[in-house]
Amino acid sequence: MTAYILTRLRQSCITLVLVSMVVFAGIRALPGDPALALAGEERSPEALAAVRESYGLDDNIVIQYGRFIGHAITGDLGTSSRTGLPVADAITAALPITLELAALSLLLAVTVGIGAGIVAAVRRGKPEEWLANALALLGLSIPTFWLGIVLVLGFAIALPVFSASGYVPFGTDPLDNLRRMVLPAIVLGSGLAAVVMRQTRAAMLDSLSADYVRTARAKGLSRREVIGGHALRNSLVTVVTVLGLQLGHLISGAVVTEQIFVLPGFGKLTIDAVFTRDYATLQGVVLCTSAAYILINLLVDVAYSVIDPRIRLGGAR
Amino acid sequence: MRRKAVALAAVALVMSLTAGCGSLQSSATEVGGERMTDDRPVRDGGTLTVALNADPDKLDPTLAQTLVGRTVFAGMCEKLYDIDEHGTVIPQLATALPKTSKDGRTVTFGLRKGLKFSDGTKLDAEAAVTSLLRHRDLAGSARATELAPLAGAKATGPYTVELTLKQAYVPLTAVLADRSGMVMSPTALKKYGKNFTNHPSCVGPFKYVERVGGDRIVLAKDPNYYAADQVHLDKVIYKPIPDGNVRLANLRSGDIQVGDQMTPVDVRSALTEPGLQLFNSPSLGYQGIGLNVGNVKGLGQKPGRIDTPLAREPKVREAFELAIDRDLINKVVFQGMFEPACGPVSPESAIAPGVKASVCPERDVAKAKRLLKEAGVKTPVRIELKVSTTPESSRLGQVVQAMTKEAGFAVTLRPTEYATMLEETDSGKYDAFTSGWSGRLDPDGNIASFLQTRGAMNAYGLSDPTIDRLVERGRTEADPDERAKIYAELTHRAQERRGLIYLYRQKNYIVTGKDVAGVRVYGDGLVRVTTAGYAR
């Protein structure tokens, strides 16, 4: 087992290094000189030259990469060329916000999506199913930006229940935190809720017509036990798989949501860095995201191998 | 009885709606109207959140390069000189306007006594000299070009500074009314060096507290400030909110109290909101269409010959300009809320405030067609126009496209993101692009870098000995009347050469909650919060 984990760990490190190379080269392939983006309208040749020199932009790309990776190993992701703030600080500040947003959206998607899916399946052919289907269609088709602005107009301006923007850490003021996070979570979670609803409905319909459900009914179990204990439990396997696949979309969807609600999360950090050609921040952000993906994959693989020893590398030998 | 109640309700509704609109329209939103402050008495205390349209760059006056950064500095870093509501330069940290020697090469000014930086250090002549030399010499300084004529600076007394110049340099006072005139605490400079940006310390109504990149910059009332008794707010928070819709939504919800640089469309929406009020001031800058007339090798290189009808034939450029109706652009694209412009010098400029520096030519399609015929070019003349990715910029492009089509041009639009546009236009890879400048107090700051042959921002590849000579004369001529004549001549010459077709001048529109008073908005477009607060 330890050997397996070590091998996977080694592979992950190699993947991370390869990813960092691709990211590094990719960012530099973007059109638009970072020195120009930084200098903006006041671009004197002297200022541009000094900016290039101070961030080592004139050096060969291999030297630049070596310097970047050398610092990154020690945890130093450099300083933002735009603000002069350390990239690591920016990432540490932004990450919890996006994670909280994603978690809340997931919670919303799961409760609303699974609930509506069950109702739609159980009340098949009734107005409830029609309503749930219509909501799911809306959730999938409404553009995020539009939904965000409408919710702000409705629930932050006309009926000022929630806040239109900004972030307050949960630890500082839990109530204020939720006031600011509910609307973004609805916006981000609505699409996922629709997907979950559809999956749940389809899986539940399958289960409800299965033999074991008929048997359960014949045995005289209550409706609640049949639906909750038998049909739903079996349907959830599919739903959970879909949820896992959709998690990535949740993080990428946060980019737009964070712009609308002015949440200083990972998405906003990335977008700002792209537009200002802030290489250091962009590299840091992409590297951290890649590391997170690789880590999650590693954990999943390890978990699988614990569940099913046949998956273990070299297990066949 | 019931009918009467309905009628009353209808009247009440109409009155409340018109009251909502009227409150804004009365003073500020009529074209040509200006409203720079709200003088109601202000109570002490409270936090003001100001939404900026971008995240400022470094909070170091020497390295800073963005307009939004200047707005943040207005809250924490005072300058040797400032401007007032009339666009006139007035002393701020200095005691009076500088004294210049006869040959224009020695400039002296005195500093106010008893001033302290936010870190408690005393402000004296040595501190001012240290800052000025740092602005000129620090690697990467964005002030180096405008302070290049500065040969030396020394303290001739505890509170007097003497500057020696390589040549007479009239724009100096205006330069010292911007970031070059900001004096930084020498203690903080010594302690933090280049990292001053994360610990800025100046003389100002508010001092730096913290910055969370992309989210907020927090300033708090500075007890060391010499006029602390006139400062009412406890805190000012600057928040970058790039999207105009989102900025407006936040103003409506009360999450922010001041929205900086609002677009005409958003201002029109704000007009319907009874809880908001509008401030505006004319801008010192300009917007237009840059034409590539000789940029073959890139910025700063010798202009060359480009073989397109637009670059080759002055008559084609004239036809292009004559096909454009500036008033209509203002009406259609900017809701009539900006001003048509035809030259680099704003009527608000320090040289001749209120004087119109140029008269716009009327649209004349027949003449434009005639000119194209005389030039002997094949019509339609194909031009690719780069526009930035904002909705307003693409609307501007579409209107120009439609107007010039009538005269015989075929304009294709290429929306290009900002950093890419800068790179492509600076290197000369374009026909035409939407070009603009936020403006400087002294006309030299709006002309020299753009129109001089070796100008640092001459992306048009313009090379004209007359312009070059006039720019030099404008810099050294001390007599204001004579200077005004020089800049009138320069404007005329720039119009003839048409490297840049000036189209309109933006206005600074700032929307605030109605309970906010004392905010000041002048021609430089900065939101001044020193005297701001919540109305009593």
Side-chain angles (χ1 to χ4, degrees), chain A residues 31-33 36 38-46 50 55 81-85 152 156-157 163-165 260 264 268 277, chain B residues 55 57-58 65 140 143 145 179 198 211 214-215 246 249-250 252-253 255 417-418 420 422-423 426 437-438 440 456-457:
Chain A
D33 179 348
L36 269 176
L38 180 67
E41 63 169 15
E42 296 175 54
R43 45 196 199 283
S44 70
E46 298 84 11
Y55 292 98
S81 57
R82 184 170 172 78
T83 60
L85 301 169
V152 167
I157 296 170
S163 206
S165 72
I260 309 168
K268 197 165 179 302
R277 301 294 186 275
Chain B
D55 194 19
D57 59 336
K58 297 190 181 76
Q65 285 164 317
R143 313 279 85 81
T145 313
R179 285 154 297 185
N198 296 321
R211 173 174 197 176
D215 181 34
V246 177
N250 277 274
R252 284 182 164 151
S253 73
D255 284 272
E417 175 267 330
Y418 185 63
T420 314
L422 279 182
E423 187 172 88
D426 281 4
W437 177 238
S438 62
R440 291 291 173 273
M457 290 175 270

Short mmCIF file of all heavy atoms in Angstrom, two decimals, chain A residues 31-33 36 38-46 50 55 81-85 152 156-157 163-165 260 264 268 277, chain B residues 55 57-58 65 140 143 145 179 198 211 214-215 246 249-250 252-253 255 417-418 420 422-423 426 437-438 440 456-457:
data_model
loop_
_atom_site.label_atom_id
_atom_site.label_comp_id
_atom_site.label_asym_id
_atom_site.label_seq_id
_atom_site.Cartn_x
_atom_site.Cartn_y
_atom_site.Cartn_z
N PRO A 31 -1.33 37.17 -26.27
CA PRO A 31 -0.90 38.44 -26.86
C PRO A 31 -0.99 39.54 -25.80
O PRO A 31 -1.75 39.42 -24.84
CB PRO A 31 -1.93 38.68 -27.97
CG PRO A 31 -3.13 37.89 -27.56
CD PRO A 31 -2.63 36.73 -26.76
N GLY A 32 -0.20 40.60 -25.96
CA GLY A 32 -0.25 41.69 -25.00
C GLY A 32 0.91 41.62 -24.03
O GLY A 32 1.00 40.71 -23.23
N ASP A 33 1.80 42.59 -24.15
CA ASP A 33 2.98 42.67 -23.31
C ASP A 33 2.58 43.05 -21.88
O ASP A 33 1.86 44.01 -21.68
CB ASP A 33 3.88 43.76 -23.94
CG ASP A 33 5.16 43.98 -23.18
OD1 ASP A 33 5.25 43.47 -22.05
OD2 ASP A 33 6.04 44.66 -23.71
N LEU A 36 3.31 46.60 -20.96
CA LEU A 36 2.36 47.55 -21.55
C LEU A 36 1.05 47.55 -20.79
O LEU A 36 0.46 48.59 -20.53
CB LEU A 36 2.07 47.15 -23.00
CG LEU A 36 2.97 47.76 -24.05
CD1 LEU A 36 2.61 47.19 -25.41
CD2 LEU A 36 2.79 49.26 -24.06
N LEU A 38 0.58 46.86 -17.79
CA LEU A 38 0.80 47.47 -16.49
C LEU A 38 0.90 48.99 -16.63
O LEU A 38 0.29 49.73 -15.87
CB LEU A 38 2.08 46.91 -15.88
CG LEU A 38 2.47 47.44 -14.53
CD1 LEU A 38 1.46 46.99 -13.50
CD2 LEU A 38 3.84 46.94 -14.15
N ALA A 39 1.65 49.43 -17.62
CA ALA A 39 1.88 50.86 -17.77
C ALA A 39 0.63 51.57 -18.27
O ALA A 39 0.42 52.74 -18.00
CB ALA A 39 3.04 51.10 -18.72
N GLY A 40 -0.22 50.83 -19.02
CA GLY A 40 -1.46 51.43 -19.50
C GLY A 40 -1.21 52.63 -20.38
O GLY A 40 -0.36 52.60 -21.25
N GLU A 41 -1.94 53.71 -20.11
CA GLU A 41 -1.84 54.84 -21.02
C GLU A 41 -0.55 55.63 -20.86
O GLU A 41 -0.15 56.36 -21.74
CB GLU A 41 -3.07 55.75 -20.90
CG GLU A 41 -3.27 56.40 -19.56
CD GLU A 41 -4.35 57.49 -19.62
OE1 GLU A 41 -5.11 57.53 -20.60
OE2 GLU A 41 -4.39 58.30 -18.70
N GLU A 42 0.11 55.46 -19.73
CA GLU A 42 1.35 56.23 -19.53
C GLU A 42 2.56 55.37 -19.79
O GLU A 42 3.22 54.92 -18.87
CB GLU A 42 1.39 56.75 -18.11
CG GLU A 42 0.28 57.72 -17.82
CD GLU A 42 0.26 58.15 -16.38
OE1 GLU A 42 1.30 58.62 -15.92
OE2 GLU A 42 -0.77 58.03 -15.75
N ARG A 43 2.83 55.09 -21.05
CA ARG A 43 3.88 54.12 -21.33
C ARG A 43 5.12 54.77 -21.92
O ARG A 43 5.31 54.77 -23.12
CB ARG A 43 3.34 53.03 -22.24
CG ARG A 43 2.52 53.54 -23.41
CD ARG A 43 1.71 52.42 -24.02
NE ARG A 43 1.28 52.76 -25.36
CZ ARG A 43 0.30 53.59 -25.63
NH1 ARG A 43 -0.36 54.18 -24.65
NH2 ARG A 43 -0.04 53.84 -26.86
N SER A 44 5.97 55.30 -21.07
CA SER A 44 7.22 55.84 -21.57
C SER A 44 8.20 54.67 -21.73
O SER A 44 8.15 53.72 -20.95
CB SER A 44 7.78 56.87 -20.61
OG SER A 44 8.22 56.24 -19.44
N PRO A 45 9.08 54.73 -22.72
CA PRO A 45 10.01 53.61 -22.95
C PRO A 45 10.85 53.30 -21.72
O PRO A 45 11.11 52.13 -21.42
CB PRO A 45 10.89 54.12 -24.09
CG PRO A 45 10.21 55.29 -24.67
CD PRO A 45 9.26 55.83 -23.67
N GLU A 46 11.23 54.34 -20.96
CA GLU A 46 12.06 54.12 -19.78
C GLU A 46 11.29 53.30 -18.75
O GLU A 46 11.82 52.34 -18.17
CB GLU A 46 12.49 55.45 -19.13
CG GLU A 46 13.34 56.35 -20.02
CD GLU A 46 12.52 57.21 -20.97
OE1 GLU A 46 11.28 57.26 -20.80
OE2 GLU A 46 13.11 57.80 -21.89
N ALA A 50 12.15 49.52 -17.43
CA ALA A 50 12.40 49.25 -16.01
C ALA A 50 11.46 48.16 -15.49
O ALA A 50 11.87 47.30 -14.70
CB ALA A 50 12.23 50.53 -15.20
N TYR A 55 10.93 42.66 -13.39
CA TYR A 55 10.26 41.36 -13.33
C TYR A 55 10.95 40.30 -14.20
O TYR A 55 10.40 39.24 -14.44
CB TYR A 55 8.78 41.50 -13.69
CG TYR A 55 8.05 42.27 -12.63
CD1 TYR A 55 7.79 43.63 -12.80
CD2 TYR A 55 7.68 41.67 -11.44
CE1 TYR A 55 7.17 44.36 -11.81
CE2 TYR A 55 7.06 42.39 -10.44
CZ TYR A 55 6.81 43.74 -10.63
OH TYR A 55 6.21 44.45 -9.64
N SER A 81 2.83 41.84 -10.36
CA SER A 81 3.47 42.96 -11.04
C SER A 81 2.56 44.19 -10.98
O SER A 81 3.01 45.31 -11.12
CB SER A 81 3.77 42.60 -12.49
OG SER A 81 2.58 42.21 -13.13
N ARG A 82 1.29 43.98 -10.77
CA ARG A 82 0.38 45.11 -10.77
C ARG A 82 0.30 45.79 -9.40
O ARG A 82 0.45 47.00 -9.30
CB ARG A 82 -1.01 44.65 -11.18
CG ARG A 82 -1.99 45.80 -11.30
CD ARG A 82 -3.27 45.36 -11.93
NE ARG A 82 -4.25 46.42 -11.87
CZ ARG A 82 -4.27 47.46 -12.67
NH1 ARG A 82 -3.37 47.57 -13.62
NH2 ARG A 82 -5.19 48.40 -12.56
N THR A 83 0.07 45.00 -8.35
CA THR A 83 -0.15 45.62 -7.05
C THR A 83 1.08 45.59 -6.15
O THR A 83 1.13 46.31 -5.16
CB THR A 83 -1.28 44.90 -6.29
OG1 THR A 83 -0.90 43.53 -6.12
CG2 THR A 83 -2.58 44.96 -7.06
N GLY A 84 2.04 44.74 -6.48
CA GLY A 84 3.22 44.63 -5.63
C GLY A 84 2.96 43.78 -4.39
O GLY A 84 3.81 43.66 -3.52
N LEU A 85 1.77 43.19 -4.29
CA LEU A 85 1.44 42.34 -3.13
C LEU A 85 1.91 40.92 -3.41
O LEU A 85 1.91 40.48 -4.56
CB LEU A 85 -0.07 42.33 -2.88
CG LEU A 85 -0.75 43.67 -2.61
CD1 LEU A 85 -2.27 43.52 -2.66
CD2 LEU A 85 -0.35 44.20 -1.25
N VAL A 152 -30.15 40.58 -7.58
CA VAL A 152 -29.70 41.78 -6.85
C VAL A 152 -30.81 42.82 -6.85
O VAL A 152 -31.15 43.40 -5.81
CB VAL A 152 -28.41 42.35 -7.48
CG1 VAL A 152 -28.13 43.75 -6.94
CG2 VAL A 152 -27.23 41.45 -7.19
N ALA A 156 -31.86 42.59 -3.12
CA ALA A 156 -30.91 43.47 -2.44
C ALA A 156 -31.35 44.92 -2.55
O ALA A 156 -30.99 45.76 -1.74
CB ALA A 156 -29.51 43.30 -3.01
N ILE A 157 -32.17 45.22 -3.59
CA ILE A 157 -32.59 46.61 -3.78
C ILE A 157 -34.08 46.79 -3.45
O ILE A 157 -34.43 47.51 -2.53
CB ILE A 157 -32.28 47.07 -5.21
CG1 ILE A 157 -30.76 47.05 -5.43
CG2 ILE A 157 -32.80 48.49 -5.44
CD1 ILE A 157 -30.34 47.25 -6.85
N SER A 163 -27.44 41.14 0.71
CA SER A 163 -26.51 42.19 0.33
C SER A 163 -26.08 41.99 -1.12
O SER A 163 -26.01 40.85 -1.58
CB SER A 163 -25.31 42.11 1.25
OG SER A 163 -24.72 43.35 1.32
N ALA A 164 -25.81 43.10 -1.81
CA ALA A 164 -25.51 42.99 -3.24
C ALA A 164 -24.06 42.63 -3.52
O ALA A 164 -23.73 42.16 -4.59
CB ALA A 164 -25.85 44.30 -3.93
N SER A 165 -23.19 42.87 -2.58
CA SER A 165 -21.78 42.64 -2.91
C SER A 165 -20.91 42.48 -1.67
O SER A 165 -21.35 42.71 -0.55
CB SER A 165 -21.24 43.83 -3.70
OG SER A 165 -21.10 44.93 -2.83
N ILE A 260 -20.09 39.38 -10.61
CA ILE A 260 -21.37 40.06 -10.38
C ILE A 260 -21.49 40.51 -8.93
O ILE A 260 -21.95 41.61 -8.65
CB ILE A 260 -22.57 39.12 -10.68
CG1 ILE A 260 -22.42 38.49 -12.05
CG2 ILE A 260 -23.89 39.88 -10.58
CD1 ILE A 260 -23.38 37.35 -12.29
N PRO A 264 -14.18 38.73 -3.77
CA PRO A 264 -12.76 38.67 -4.13
C PRO A 264 -12.21 37.24 -4.06
O PRO A 264 -11.25 36.97 -3.36
CB PRO A 264 -12.11 39.57 -3.09
CG PRO A 264 -13.03 39.53 -1.92
CD PRO A 264 -14.40 39.29 -2.43
N LYS A 268 -12.27 35.84 -9.54
CA LYS A 268 -12.03 37.26 -9.77
C LYS A 268 -10.52 37.52 -9.86
O LYS A 268 -10.06 38.28 -10.71
CB LYS A 268 -12.64 38.07 -8.63
CG LYS A 268 -12.81 39.53 -8.94
CD LYS A 268 -13.73 40.19 -7.94
CE LYS A 268 -13.87 41.66 -8.23
NZ LYS A 268 -12.62 42.39 -8.22
N ARG A 277 -2.33 41.03 -17.45
CA ARG A 277 -1.15 40.22 -17.81
C ARG A 277 -0.21 40.09 -16.61
O ARG A 277 0.99 40.25 -16.73
CB ARG A 277 -0.39 40.84 -18.99
CG ARG A 277 -1.20 41.00 -20.25
CD ARG A 277 -1.59 39.64 -20.84
NE ARG A 277 -2.24 39.81 -22.13
CZ ARG A 277 -3.53 40.05 -22.30
NH1 ARG A 277 -4.33 40.13 -21.26
NH2 ARG A 277 -4.05 40.18 -23.51
N ASP B 55 -9.09 47.91 -10.44
CA ASP B 55 -8.25 47.78 -9.24
C ASP B 55 -7.00 48.64 -9.46
O ASP B 55 -6.31 48.48 -10.46
CB ASP B 55 -7.85 46.30 -9.06
CG ASP B 55 -7.29 46.03 -7.68
OD1 ASP B 55 -7.52 46.85 -6.78
OD2 ASP B 55 -6.61 44.99 -7.51
N ASP B 57 -3.21 50.10 -9.35
CA ASP B 57 -1.92 49.38 -9.37
C ASP B 57 -1.18 49.70 -8.07
O ASP B 57 -1.79 49.76 -7.02
CB ASP B 57 -1.13 49.70 -10.64
CG ASP B 57 -0.84 51.19 -10.77
OD1 ASP B 57 -1.59 52.00 -10.19
OD2 ASP B 57 0.14 51.56 -11.42
N LYS B 58 0.12 49.90 -8.14
CA LYS B 58 0.90 50.08 -6.91
C LYS B 58 0.56 51.40 -6.21
O LYS B 58 0.40 52.42 -6.85
CB LYS B 58 2.38 50.05 -7.25
CG LYS B 58 2.82 48.71 -7.81
CD LYS B 58 4.33 48.64 -7.89
CE LYS B 58 4.77 47.32 -8.48
NZ LYS B 58 4.60 47.25 -9.93
N GLN B 65 0.61 54.11 -12.03
CA GLN B 65 0.35 54.48 -13.42
C GLN B 65 -1.12 54.57 -13.80
O GLN B 65 -1.44 54.87 -14.93
CB GLN B 65 1.03 53.46 -14.33
CG GLN B 65 2.54 53.66 -14.37
CD GLN B 65 3.27 52.49 -14.93
OE1 GLN B 65 2.97 51.36 -14.60
NE2 GLN B 65 4.24 52.74 -15.78
N GLY B 140 12.15 52.18 -12.93
CA GLY B 140 10.73 51.87 -13.12
C GLY B 140 9.83 53.04 -12.79
O GLY B 140 8.60 52.91 -12.85
N ARG B 143 7.34 58.53 -13.27
CA ARG B 143 7.46 60.00 -13.23
C ARG B 143 8.73 60.47 -13.94
O ARG B 143 8.92 61.67 -14.10
CB ARG B 143 7.50 60.51 -11.79
CG ARG B 143 6.45 59.93 -10.84
CD ARG B 143 5.12 60.62 -11.00
NE ARG B 143 4.32 60.05 -12.09
CZ ARG B 143 3.59 58.94 -11.99
NH1 ARG B 143 3.57 58.25 -10.87
NH2 ARG B 143 2.87 58.52 -13.00
N THR B 145 9.91 60.56 -16.97
CA THR B 145 9.84 61.38 -18.18
C THR B 145 9.45 62.82 -17.86
O THR B 145 10.08 63.76 -18.32
CB THR B 145 8.83 60.78 -19.17
OG1 THR B 145 9.09 59.39 -19.27
CG2 THR B 145 8.93 61.43 -20.52
N ARG B 179 1.17 63.31 -9.43
CA ARG B 179 1.90 62.40 -8.55
C ARG B 179 3.36 62.79 -8.32
O ARG B 179 3.94 62.48 -7.29
CB ARG B 179 1.80 60.97 -9.08
CG ARG B 179 0.44 60.38 -8.82
CD ARG B 179 0.09 59.33 -9.80
NE ARG B 179 0.00 59.88 -11.15
CZ ARG B 179 -0.40 59.18 -12.19
NH1 ARG B 179 -0.72 57.93 -12.07
NH2 ARG B 179 -0.46 59.75 -13.39
N ASN B 198 3.36 48.77 -0.16
CA ASN B 198 2.53 48.07 0.82
C ASN B 198 2.47 48.78 2.17
O ASN B 198 1.80 48.31 3.09
CB ASN B 198 3.03 46.63 1.00
CG ASN B 198 2.90 45.83 -0.27
OD1 ASN B 198 1.91 45.98 -0.99
ND2 ASN B 198 3.90 45.03 -0.60
N ARG B 211 -4.73 46.63 2.38
CA ARG B 211 -5.16 46.40 1.02
C ARG B 211 -5.34 44.91 0.80
O ARG B 211 -4.45 44.13 1.12
CB ARG B 211 -4.11 46.92 0.04
CG ARG B 211 -4.45 46.54 -1.38
CD ARG B 211 -3.53 47.16 -2.39
NE ARG B 211 -4.17 47.09 -3.69
CZ ARG B 211 -3.68 47.60 -4.79
NH1 ARG B 211 -2.55 48.24 -4.75
NH2 ARG B 211 -4.32 47.48 -5.93
N GLY B 214 -7.62 43.16 -5.33
CA GLY B 214 -8.84 42.85 -6.05
C GLY B 214 -10.10 43.10 -5.24
O GLY B 214 -11.20 43.03 -5.76
N ASP B 215 -9.95 43.39 -3.96
CA ASP B 215 -11.14 43.55 -3.13
C ASP B 215 -11.30 44.95 -2.55
O ASP B 215 -12.28 45.63 -2.78
CB ASP B 215 -11.13 42.52 -1.99
CG ASP B 215 -12.37 42.63 -1.12
OD1 ASP B 215 -13.44 42.96 -1.66
OD2 ASP B 215 -12.28 42.39 0.09
N VAL B 246 -23.06 46.50 -12.26
CA VAL B 246 -22.88 46.02 -10.89
C VAL B 246 -22.63 47.21 -9.96
O VAL B 246 -23.13 47.27 -8.84
CB VAL B 246 -21.71 45.00 -10.83
CG1 VAL B 246 -21.46 44.56 -9.41
CG2 VAL B 246 -22.02 43.80 -11.71
N ALA B 249 -25.96 48.78 -9.37
CA ALA B 249 -26.79 47.95 -8.49
C ALA B 249 -26.36 48.12 -7.04
O ALA B 249 -27.18 48.21 -6.13
CB ALA B 249 -26.69 46.49 -8.91
N ASN B 250 -25.06 48.20 -6.81
CA ASN B 250 -24.54 48.37 -5.46
C ASN B 250 -24.83 49.75 -4.89
O ASN B 250 -25.02 49.90 -3.68
CB ASN B 250 -23.04 48.10 -5.43
CG ASN B 250 -22.75 46.63 -5.33
OD1 ASN B 250 -22.71 46.08 -4.25
ND2 ASN B 250 -22.60 45.96 -6.47
N ARG B 252 -27.53 51.41 -5.67
CA ARG B 252 -28.96 51.34 -5.35
C ARG B 252 -29.20 50.60 -4.04
O ARG B 252 -30.06 50.98 -3.26
CB ARG B 252 -29.70 50.62 -6.47
CG ARG B 252 -29.88 51.49 -7.68
CD ARG B 252 -30.66 50.74 -8.73
NE ARG B 252 -31.16 51.67 -9.72
CZ ARG B 252 -31.38 51.33 -10.99
NH1 ARG B 252 -31.15 50.11 -11.38
NH2 ARG B 252 -31.84 52.21 -11.83
N SER B 253 -28.45 49.53 -3.83
CA SER B 253 -28.68 48.75 -2.63
C SER B 253 -28.06 49.40 -1.40
O SER B 253 -28.32 49.00 -0.28
CB SER B 253 -28.11 47.34 -2.80
OG SER B 253 -26.70 47.40 -2.75
N ASP B 255 -24.87 49.35 -0.72
CA ASP B 255 -23.62 48.70 -0.32
C ASP B 255 -22.42 49.59 -0.57
O ASP B 255 -21.40 49.47 0.08
CB ASP B 255 -23.46 47.38 -1.06
CG ASP B 255 -24.35 46.30 -0.48
OD1 ASP B 255 -23.92 45.63 0.46
OD2 ASP B 255 -25.50 46.18 -0.93
N GLU B 417 -8.99 43.33 -27.11
CA GLU B 417 -8.84 43.53 -25.66
C GLU B 417 -7.65 44.48 -25.39
O GLU B 417 -6.70 44.53 -26.16
CB GLU B 417 -8.67 42.14 -25.05
CG GLU B 417 -8.39 42.06 -23.60
CD GLU B 417 -6.92 42.01 -23.33
OE1 GLU B 417 -6.16 41.49 -24.18
OE2 GLU B 417 -6.53 42.53 -22.29
N TYR B 418 -7.77 45.23 -24.29
CA TYR B 418 -6.90 46.38 -24.03
C TYR B 418 -5.39 46.12 -24.20
O TYR B 418 -4.72 46.82 -24.97
CB TYR B 418 -7.20 46.89 -22.62
CG TYR B 418 -6.46 48.15 -22.25
CD1 TYR B 418 -6.67 49.32 -22.96
CD2 TYR B 418 -5.55 48.16 -21.20
CE1 TYR B 418 -6.01 50.48 -22.62
CE2 TYR B 418 -4.88 49.32 -20.85
CZ TYR B 418 -5.10 50.47 -21.56
OH TYR B 418 -4.44 51.62 -21.22
N THR B 420 -3.79 43.71 -25.62
CA THR B 420 -3.45 43.31 -26.98
C THR B 420 -3.47 44.52 -27.92
O THR B 420 -2.60 44.68 -28.77
CB THR B 420 -4.46 42.26 -27.49
OG1 THR B 420 -4.64 41.28 -26.47
CG2 THR B 420 -3.99 41.60 -28.75
N LEU B 422 -2.92 47.65 -27.15
CA LEU B 422 -1.74 48.48 -26.91
C LEU B 422 -0.53 47.90 -27.65
O LEU B 422 0.21 48.62 -28.31
CB LEU B 422 -1.43 48.53 -25.41
CG LEU B 422 -2.22 49.50 -24.55
CD1 LEU B 422 -1.74 49.43 -23.12
CD2 LEU B 422 -2.09 50.92 -25.07
N GLU B 423 -0.36 46.59 -27.54
CA GLU B 423 0.81 45.98 -28.15
C GLU B 423 0.77 46.13 -29.67
O GLU B 423 1.76 46.51 -30.29
CB GLU B 423 0.90 44.50 -27.78
CG GLU B 423 2.19 43.88 -28.28
CD GLU B 423 2.37 42.46 -27.75
OE1 GLU B 423 1.88 41.53 -28.39
OE2 GLU B 423 2.99 42.32 -26.70
N ASP B 426 1.05 49.95 -30.71
CA ASP B 426 2.39 50.47 -30.46
C ASP B 426 3.39 49.95 -31.49
O ASP B 426 4.31 50.64 -31.89
CB ASP B 426 2.87 50.09 -29.05
CG ASP B 426 2.27 50.99 -27.98
OD1 ASP B 426 1.44 51.84 -28.36
OD2 ASP B 426 2.62 50.86 -26.80
N TRP B 437 -7.11 59.54 -24.05
CA TRP B 437 -6.15 59.99 -23.04
C TRP B 437 -6.94 60.66 -21.92
O TRP B 437 -7.83 61.47 -22.20
CB TRP B 437 -5.17 60.96 -23.69
CG TRP B 437 -4.13 61.61 -22.81
CD1 TRP B 437 -3.95 62.95 -22.64
CD2 TRP B 437 -3.11 60.97 -22.04
NE1 TRP B 437 -2.89 63.18 -21.80
CE2 TRP B 437 -2.36 61.98 -21.41
CE3 TRP B 437 -2.77 59.64 -21.79
CZ2 TRP B 437 -1.29 61.71 -20.56
CZ3 TRP B 437 -1.70 59.37 -20.95
CH2 TRP B 437 -0.97 60.40 -20.35
N SER B 438 -6.61 60.33 -20.67
CA SER B 438 -7.40 60.86 -19.56
C SER B 438 -7.12 62.34 -19.31
O SER B 438 -7.91 63.03 -18.69
CB SER B 438 -7.13 60.06 -18.29
OG SER B 438 -5.76 60.18 -17.93
N ARG B 440 -4.16 65.82 -18.95
CA ARG B 440 -3.31 66.46 -17.94
C ARG B 440 -3.65 67.94 -17.89
O ARG B 440 -4.16 68.51 -18.85
CB ARG B 440 -1.83 66.28 -18.29
CG ARG B 440 -1.35 64.86 -18.17
CD ARG B 440 -1.30 64.38 -16.72
NE ARG B 440 -0.98 62.96 -16.64
CZ ARG B 440 -1.88 61.99 -16.69
NH1 ARG B 440 -3.16 62.27 -16.84
NH2 ARG B 440 -1.52 60.74 -16.61
N ALA B 456 6.83 59.47 -26.77
CA ALA B 456 6.79 58.12 -26.18
C ALA B 456 5.49 57.40 -26.51
O ALA B 456 5.43 56.18 -26.43
CB ALA B 456 6.96 58.22 -24.68
N MET B 457 4.45 58.13 -26.86
CA MET B 457 3.18 57.47 -27.15
C MET B 457 2.66 57.80 -28.54
O MET B 457 1.46 57.69 -28.82
CB MET B 457 2.16 57.82 -26.07
CG MET B 457 2.52 57.17 -24.75
SD MET B 457 1.45 57.64 -23.40
CE MET B 457 2.27 59.06 -22.76
#
